[in-house]
Amino acid sequence: MTTPTPDHKRYFIEKLGISERLMERCLGEALSAGGEYADLYFESVTSTSLGIDESLVKSASQGISVGCGIRVLSGERTGFAYTDDLSSERLLKAARTAALIASGPAKQLAHGFTHTETPTLYPVAGATSDAEISEKLKLIQRADKAARAYDSRIVQVRAGFNDELRRILVAASDGTFASDTQPLARLNVFVIAKDGVNTARGTSGGGGRVALDFFEGKKSPEFFAREAARTAMLQLGAVDAPAGEMEVVLGPGWPGVLLHEAVGHGLEADFNRKGTSAFSGLIGQQVASSKVTVVDNGTMPNRRGSLNVDDEGTPTQENVLIENGILKGYLTDKLSARLMGTKSTGSGRRESYQAITMPRMTNTYMLNGDDMPEDIIKSVKRGLYAVNFGGGQVDITNGKFVFSASEAYLIEDGKVTQPVKGATLIGNGPEALKYVSMVGNDLALDEGIGTCGKNGQSVPVGVGMPTVKLDRMTVGGTGG
């Protein structure tokens, strides 16, 4: 038997007075009316948010949030209650409230807790939350200055810095006992460029589960500012995107968000056990080109989507979802795993103690292929090269998606030529992957900006892919 790192355990037991005896009592109350499983999710979050607009500090806030969510599972039903008062009286009352969905004799707890050893995928000492707020303010002031210096046509700049330090403790009726301390930081830059009557926008940013010195290296405020300014200036000189079906090349890195939305959500187990996903019942079948392998990996050091343990206390892992085009499995939490007769993949996530757990992605990306990126471009007679994406949406039930490209170019006779504006990619996730004919050897992950929404909950995620060619895709645009 191992124990959590002392800092994780001391915070809840010594600072907040949450003893193992109290947790056992709460779980006992949660199962007092029956139910098959119950868990407690304790959370403490300290956060900072700073914003600068027109070189003036427009917002600055710091906050602390503490609470506990208590869940009871009975068949497919979930009983849930939460409290921001961690007194024994309020915790026990919340446990009794969550128990109301169950019926039957009281269930017995597992004999004692099994303490999960917490990996160390990200720094705790030296996390951004430890830094003075003045140091964080300097970062966005540097970004503002660098964006304005890029070109005189940059007429507006906004920059922001957000960070948090989240401490969690999970105790469950199956004996699970796990804790973690999770840092998270993100710097964002938004600019508007104007040239006569034409205006264009550009955004950039990055971060992860990192210490403040991350922003003193290659991914500095100046780097993100210049990227935001560059994309805005590019749009000023762009031509209207063509429309119709054509070859499409997706660039490495952030374009993996298309994979996340069009494929990843459809592979979350709750949609599949309910039969509402386009991928339901297809395990073992060919769902993509044989060149496509997709994984979801929560164990990558310092990545925005990574977690030492998920929000049910299960260690995260690397999950192969699609291998050489064959569907291998779904992302599961404890509820879906129990109902589907499998094991949790460490994918149980929640926005906060006030929300229930669902199967969610962590860092989702396509693995490298064997093609050289330049050869992929050369193979295209006439098509679109999509380097970066803005917003998008997908229908889980049929896999249909629409994405807007924030940076894209024409490919003509095997060469990247003019930048285009107003390009949208329209398709069906499972269908689109069947048209993947070339996969590059240049896998890249996003800069650390992803936030995924599902059923009203938002969680940090990562995406990525190498350069990929699709032989057919519908492009929406207003050009010829």
Side-chain angles (χ1 to χ4, degrees):
M1 179 180 296
T2 58
T3 57
T5 57
D7 287 344
H8 300 319
K9 189 174 181 180
R10 275 204 305 269
Y11 183 82
F12 288 96
I13 292 179
E14 295 182 9
K15 290 192 176 182
L16 299 182
I18 308 300
S19 67
E20 289 194 26
R21 174 59 185 148
L22 176 58
M23 289 183 250
E24 289 173 349
R25 288 179 62 199
C26 289
L27 289 170
E29 287 290 343
L31 293 176
S32 61
E36 297 153 16
Y37 169 88
D39 60 18
L40 315 174
Y41 176 85
F42 294 93
E43 177 187 71
S44 172
V45 180
T46 57
S47 60
T48 302
S49 178
L50 298 169
I52 190 170
D53 189 356
E54 295 304 292
S55 302
L56 299 174
V57 178
K58 290 294 181 72
S59 63
S61 63
Q62 289 185 306
I64 299 175
S65 169
V66 179
C68 178
I70 302 180
R71 179 177 62 156
V72 177
L73 302 180
S74 181
E76 293 195 22
R77 294 177 299 165
T78 298
F80 180 70
Y82 65 87
T83 175
D84 59 3
D85 182 342
L86 298 186
S87 66
S88 59
E89 293 80 6
R90 292 298 296 272
L91 287 170
L92 291 167
K93 181 179 179 181
R96 287 189 288 270
T97 301
L100 293 175
I101 59 106
S103 61
K107 292 293 180 72
Q108 295 296 315
L109 300 180
H111 182 67
F113 293 121
T114 301
H115 295 243
T116 300
E117 184 175 5
T118 309
T120 54
L121 295 175
Y122 28 78
V124 176
T128 56
S129 58
D130 294 334
E132 294 293 333
I133 197 168
S134 60
E135 294 302 309
K136 303 170 188 179
L137 180 59
K138 288 177 183 177
L139 293 177
I140 55 177
Q141 289 173 329
R142 286 165 53 188
D144 175 80
K145 182 178 180 180
R148 294 180 183 283
Y150 189 87
D151 193 285
S152 61
R153 289 168 289 182
I154 300 293
V155 296
Q156 185 175 346
V157 179
R158 294 202 300 267
F161 183 87
N162 300 275
D163 69 0
E164 66 178 32
L165 190 68
R166 181 185 305 265
R167 296 178 174 91
I168 69 166
L169 175 65
V170 182
S173 60
D174 62 3
T176 297
F177 189 94
S179 59
D180 195 16
T181 302
Q182 303 162 353
L184 189 67
R186 172 175 165 173
L187 187 150
N188 303 293
V189 187
F190 169 83
V191 306
I192 295 178
K194 188 171 183 179
D195 188 0
V197 297
N198 297 320
T199 60
R201 293 168 170 80
T203 62
S204 184
R209 300 193 183 280
V210 296
L212 199 67
D213 60 7
F214 170 86
F215 298 100
E216 298 300 335
K218 292 181 179 179
K219 306 304 181 181
S220 65
E222 289 78 12
F223 169 81
F224 294 122
R226 288 191 290 266
E227 274 298 291
R230 181 189 66 82
T231 54
M233 298 304 302
L234 191 75
Q235 291 298 306
L236 282 181
V239 299
D240 291 330
E245 189 174 87
M246 65 187 71
E247 294 175 303
V248 170
V249 176
L250 303 176
W254 181 246
V257 70
L258 188 149
L259 191 75
H260 168 103
E261 294 289 357
V263 179
H265 276 300
L267 297 179
E268 291 167 338
D270 49 351
F271 297 125
N272 287 279
R273 68 179 173 83
K274 296 172 184 176
T276 58
S277 168
F279 292 98
S280 296
L282 298 182
I283 288 181
Q285 297 186 33
Q286 189 93 21
V287 297
S289 159
S290 61
K291 293 180 177 288
V292 173
T293 296
V294 178
V295 303
D296 185 88
N297 187 356
T299 69
M300 309 179 77
N302 304 117
R303 296 300 306 177
R304 181 173 169 85
S306 294
L307 295 166
N308 288 321
V309 294
D310 74 359
D311 293 330
E312 295 178 312
T314 305
T316 56
Q317 60 190 45
E318 181 177 355
N319 299 296
V320 178
L321 303 176
I322 299 173
E323 185 174 28
N324 299 325
I326 306 296
L327 182 60
K328 290 295 189 178
Y330 305 124
L331 295 172
T332 58
D333 59 355
K334 286 184 177 180
L335 172 61
S336 293
R338 179 168 53 82
L339 295 174
M340 298 174 77
T342 62
K343 293 183 178 181
S344 171
T345 59
S347 307
R349 304 191 64 187
R350 63 205 302 169
E351 183 176 87
S352 74
Y353 72 89
Q354 300 178 25
I356 62 171
T357 308
M358 296 182 287
R360 305 290 299 269
M361 288 172 275
T362 55
N363 304 296
T364 311
Y365 52 94
M366 185 186 299
L367 296 190
N368 268 332
D370 298 323
D371 297 303
M372 299 293 290
E374 54 267 32
D375 292 337
I376 296 177
I377 298 294
K378 289 177 183 177
S379 72
V380 177
K381 178 70 174 177
R382 178 181 179 272
L384 186 79
Y385 180 36
V387 177
N388 221 332
F389 285 106
Q393 58 185 17
V394 62
D395 185 335
I396 299 299
T397 61
N398 56 30
K400 291 182 179 179
F401 63 81
V402 178
F403 272 89
S404 61
S406 58
E407 181 179 355
Y409 304 83
L410 292 175
I411 304 176
E412 300 172 290
D413 296 322
K415 295 181 180 179
V416 177
T417 57
Q418 292 176 295
V420 299
K421 59 185 177 182
T424 58
L425 300 186
I426 305 164
N428 174 288
E431 190 70 20
L433 289 185
K434 295 177 182 178
Y435 292 110
V436 172
S437 61
M438 301 180 77
V439 177
N441 59 5
D442 58 341
L443 169 64
L445 300 174
D446 74 288
E447 296 286 4
I449 60 172
T451 298
C452 172
K454 177 180 176 181
N455 293 351
Q457 292 192 44
S458 296
V459 296
V461 296
V463 300
M465 70 187 322
T467 300
V468 170
K469 177 185 175 182
L470 296 98
D471 287 339
R472 290 173 54 187
M473 182 172 279
T474 300
V475 176
T478 57

